[in-house]
Amino acid sequence: MCLAAASPWRCCRSFLPSSAALPRRFLRGLLGGPAPTRPYPPSATNLLRRCIPFHRMAQYWTQPSLDKNKALVDYLKQYGAVRTDKVAEVMETIDRALFVQEGTPYIDSPMPIGFNATISAPHMHATCLELLKDHLQPGMHALDVGSGSGYLTACFAMMVGPEGRAVGIEHIPEIVASAIENVQKSAAAPLLKDRSLSFHVADGRLGFPDAAPYDAIHVGAAAPDIPQPLLDQLKPGGRMVIPVGTYFQDLQVVDKNADRSISIRNDASVRYVPLTSRSAQLQDP
């Protein structure tokens, strides 16, 4: 359950002089205002060049609500979060609005689902699906740790199909019950009925051995370190995507090689809620 990706403006702020703010004419140019009558100084020009890509992404994150699920997916395509037809198809099929009870479902932002939990922003769902898509082929097994609203688990189930297995685990029973209700209204409902898609109350740090090993594991909350039970339940040739860290977090891509050795790379800086116990999660934030 992602709170938000790391702020794009953090990068820009690191380039700003520590003494005074930039001249107003430079800020107008950065934020899309009228062009200044005089050229920027070289330092300001370099800063503008480095910040423009992040400014465009910030505009993307703060766009008004989109009124249709397909329009949201098209928007994610435009900005490169959705890169393949396979991911686009499943995100168009599973309507996000069915999994967001409060707030605006089609804006690219995390939304609360109760019990100090959130549904991740659509761009993070797209990112994780793109990273895992080759490990979500028909017949494969997928585990969604901290499955929350059930949205991403439903996407996994659609990708692995009725001959595969998609499992969502969450340690708060009320969230599990809500996820099941959400999925029953979605295109993934038949997979829930035939139990190729299932949700369980369990401690995500321990995984779910009953359906292991898994070709794909997604963890929707940040762990200080990669839990060993999840590594043990990852199939040789499989992949796990997990945010790792406390205040500063990286979305790590963990591959288990055929010889059972582990390869890890960082994909992005992110900000997720912590992977913790039920009692800790239910405490006031």
Side-chain angles (χ1 to χ4, degrees):
M1 290 169 277
C2 177
L3 290 176
S7 169
W9 294 105
R10 182 179 301 163
C11 176
C12 293
R13 285 197 300 267
S14 67
F15 302 138
L16 292 174
S18 57
S19 55
L22 288 173
R24 287 184 181 178
R25 62 191 182 89
F26 171 71
L27 291 177
R28 281 201 303 269
L30 179 63
L31 297 174
T37 56
R38 291 177 294 170
Y40 297 132
S43 60
T45 302
N46 291 337
L47 174 59
L48 178 60
R49 185 180 300 116
R50 298 175 79 171
C51 285
I52 279 175
F54 297 101
H55 169 54
R56 287 174 180 164
M57 278 304 294
Q59 287 181 315
Y60 159 47
W61 288 338
T62 57
Q63 284 288 333
S65 172
L66 302 173
D67 61 0
K68 292 183 180 178
N69 194 60
K70 187 177 186 305
L72 172 62
V73 178
D74 289 342
Y75 208 60
L76 295 172
K77 286 182 188 177
Q78 180 183 351
Y79 284 91
V82 171
R83 302 189 302 275
T84 61
D85 291 342
K86 184 176 183 179
V87 170
E89 181 181 358
V90 74
M91 291 188 73
E92 289 173 5
T93 302
I94 301 298
D95 188 352
R96 179 176 166 88
L98 301 176
F99 297 81
V100 177
Q101 308 305 322
E102 298 180 8
T104 308
Y106 300 125
I107 195 168
D108 191 22
S109 174
M111 293 288 170
I113 59 172
F115 302 94
N116 294 329
T118 62
I119 178 174
S120 294
H123 75 272
M124 288 308 304
H125 283 150
T127 295
C128 293
L129 287 168
E130 289 286 358
L131 289 170
L132 289 170
K133 65 182 184 300
D134 293 337
H135 305 271
L136 294 167
Q137 303 291 339
M140 290 184 171
H141 283 208
L143 175 65
D144 189 13
V145 175
S147 49
S149 70
Y151 173 85
L152 202 59
T153 323
C155 291
F156 290 169
M158 296 296 291
M159 294 172 83
V160 302
E163 64 270 39
R165 183 79 190 275
V167 176
I169 57 173
E170 176 66 57
H171 55 201
I172 297 179
E174 293 87 345
I175 294 181
V176 171
S178 177
I180 292 171
E181 290 179 5
N182 294 340
V183 172
Q184 286 172 336
K185 297 178 287 185
S186 77
L191 301 173
L192 190 65
K193 187 175 181 180
D194 70 18
R195 297 199 59 77
S196 57
L197 166 59
S198 61
F199 293 91
H200 305 270
V201 178
D203 187 333
R205 297 167 295 183
L206 303 179
F208 192 74
D210 293 9
Y214 298 99
D215 300 276
I217 297 177
H218 167 264
V219 183
D225 300 291
I226 301 172
Q228 187 61 45
L230 298 183
L231 288 173
D232 294 341
Q233 292 170 36
L234 186 62
K235 189 176 185 178
R239 170 171 287 185
M240 181 191 326
V241 174
I242 176 173
V244 177
T246 51
Y247 185 79
F248 296 102
Q249 301 168 3
D250 291 306
L251 188 66
Q252 294 192 346
V253 179
V254 182
D255 291 309
K256 181 179 277 191
N257 304 311
D259 62 0
R260 295 185 175 272
S261 62
I262 300 294
S263 302
I264 301 174
R265 66 177 175 86
N266 292 338
D267 184 76
S269 295
V270 292
R271 187 65 179 161
Y272 277 70
V273 297
L275 184 65
T276 186
S277 66
R278 180 179 185 272
S279 59
Q281 181 172 329
L282 290 176
Q283 292 177 357
D284 290 335

